Every structure is written in structure tokens, then in C-alpha cells.
């Protein structure tokens, strides 16, 4: 939407977040195979070596689409390994229409997202990708799950970090999201974008802070942290 100025802003935000000591996930959702996938991976996970861009850095992890199979995942995973970074593979999205394709079952009753999750886990649990924490640097993006499905996935894929979309504006509750966490509170990253970025449009924050959009965003973050923390207590 904002062309090169948007790209410049993206990288300046990465730099600022890195200076603050934050973990950075680039939600780029890249998806291709072979050589093209390798180039995408290098572009998004390797720091550029071009003259004039020495201070530009890339995210700690990115999101990718793995619907083209192994050849769409391994090139990104390999570059992530080389750079000490990570990837999150899109397994199931949080939109209502996701079930139209991603819940489609084969003759054996296995749903599409289940097959993708199994493939991602095979790649993720190679010994070189599992760190001292017991988690892999290859994670899964999973939205729109019932509590039962989330709990089953958490138990089945114990070395996987789950990136959970849908919290806030898309309707997922904190209780829905924390089902992907282990009892020690690890294993899931809950993403909230629009409900934070556009908090200044919400009446409850406008009434408190008027046109001070920074205060609106700050309070929305605090409220989300409290909401998720309270939900976590049910798992402990």
C-alpha cells in the first residue's frame, strides 16, 4: 500500500524493536519452491550485504506458507538454521472460510491441516533444529481451533511453538488461545494486530484518552496481557 516508504518503515521498525531487545516476527507469509524459495528466505532472514545497507537487519523469524509441500518449507528452514533464526509455517488460518479447504478430509478422514501439521513436525523435529529448550526453530501457525483440537495438537507436537492468530478483532478469546500453551506457560505466541494497532478507534479507549493514539495502544496492550494472564491461570 505504501510502496517503498512502507518497506523502509518495516525495516526501521525491526531495527527499533531489536534495540529494545524484542523478538521480531516478520509476518510476510512467503510461499514458493526451490530456488525462488531460497531467494525469498535469504531476503527475509539474512542481513543484507549491500553497500549502504550495513545497518539494516532482518527479523528473528518469519511466517511462510507450506501448502506446496516439503520444497516450500525446507529452503526456509535451512536458511533459518544457518542464520540462527526461525520460521512459522501456516497450517490453519483463523478466518471463517478456512474450513472450506483446510478442513477438507481425504479418504482416510485426515484433514488437510492435519497432514500439513504432520509434515511440518517431521521437518521441525530433525535433531539439528531442536534446541536446548526442547523446542524447534520451525513452528506452526494455527488459528480457529476448538479447545479440544488445541489441546490435542499441544500434546502431539510437544517440540513446536505455535503462533496463534485471531485473538481480539477476529473473535478468538484468551481461553481459546492459551490452550496451545504448556502448563509452564511456554509453547504459544498469541498474536494481536488490529485490536492493538487500531485501539484508538475503540470507544472504551477514545473515552479515556481522546486522540492520544499512543495511550490507546498502550492500554490495549496492558488489557490484552491481563486477559491472557488470567486465562493462563486455568492451565496451572
Amino acid at each position: 500500500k505504501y510502496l517503498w516508504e512502507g518497506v523502509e518503515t518495516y525495516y526501521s521498525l525491526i531495527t527499533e524493536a531489536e534495540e529494545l531487545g524484542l523478538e521480531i516476527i516478520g509476518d510476510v507469509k512467503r510461499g514458493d519452491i526451490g530456488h525462488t524459495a531460497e531467494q525469498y528466505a535469504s531476503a527475509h532472514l539474512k542481513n543484507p550485504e549491500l553497500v549502504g545497507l550495513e545497518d539494516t537487519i532482518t527479523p528473528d523469524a518469519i511466517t511462510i506458507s507450506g501448502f506446496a509441500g516439503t520444497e516450500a518449507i525446507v529452503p526456509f528452514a535451512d536458511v533459518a538454521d544457518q542464520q540462527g533464526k526461525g520460521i512459522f509455517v501456516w497450517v490453519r488460518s483463523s478466518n471463517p472460510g478456512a474450513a472450506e479447504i483446510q478442513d477438507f478430509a481425504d479418504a482416510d478422514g485426515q484433514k488437510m491441516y492435519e497432514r500439513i501439521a504432520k509434515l511440518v513436525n517431521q521437518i521441525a523435529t530433525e535433531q539439528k533444529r531442536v534446541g536446548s529448550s526442547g523446542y524447534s526453530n520451525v513452528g506452526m501457525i494455527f488459528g480457529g481451533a476448538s479447545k479440544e483440537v488445541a489441546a490435542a495438537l499441544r500434546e502431539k507436537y510437544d517440540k513446536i511453538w505455535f503462533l496463534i492468530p485471531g485473538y481480539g478483532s477476529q473473535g478468538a478469546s484468551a481461553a481459546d488461545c492459551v490452550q496451545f500453551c504448556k502448563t509452564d506457560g511456554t509453547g504459544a505466541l498469541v498474536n494481536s494486530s488490529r485490536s492493538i494497532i487500531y485501539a484508538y478507534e475503540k470507544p472504551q479507549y477514545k473515552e479515556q484518552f481522546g486522540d492520544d493514539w499512543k495511550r490507546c495502544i498502550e492500554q490495549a496492550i496492558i488489557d490484552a496481557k491481563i486477559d491472557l494472564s488470567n486465562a493462563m491461570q486455568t492451565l496451572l
Side-chain angles (χ1 to χ4, degrees), residues 13 34 77 109 118 120 130 146 150 157 160 164 168-169 174 206 216:
L13 283 172
K118 183 178 179 180
V120 173
V130 179
S146 66
Y157 301 123
I160 295 293
I164 312 302
S169 295
K206 287 182 69 71
C216 292

Side-chain angles (χ1 to χ4, degrees), residues 131-143:
S132 58
S133 67
Y135 285 109
S136 173
N137 66 332
V138 175
M140 300 184 193
I141 304 168
F142 203 100

Side-chain angles (χ1 to χ4, degrees), residues 101-147:
I101 295 176
Q102 296 162 43
D103 287 0
F104 184 80
D106 62 19
D108 296 323
Q110 186 178 58
K111 295 181 178 180
M112 182 178 179
Y113 77 76
E114 293 174 324
R115 182 69 189 94
I116 296 173
K118 183 178 179 180
L119 175 62
V120 173
N121 188 63
Q122 290 172 349
I123 295 169
T125 53
E126 290 185 28
Q127 187 174 1
K128 63 181 179 180
R129 296 197 172 105
V130 179
S132 58
S133 67
Y135 285 109
S136 173
N137 66 332
V138 175
M140 300 184 193
I141 304 168
F142 203 100
S146 66
K147 292 181 180 180

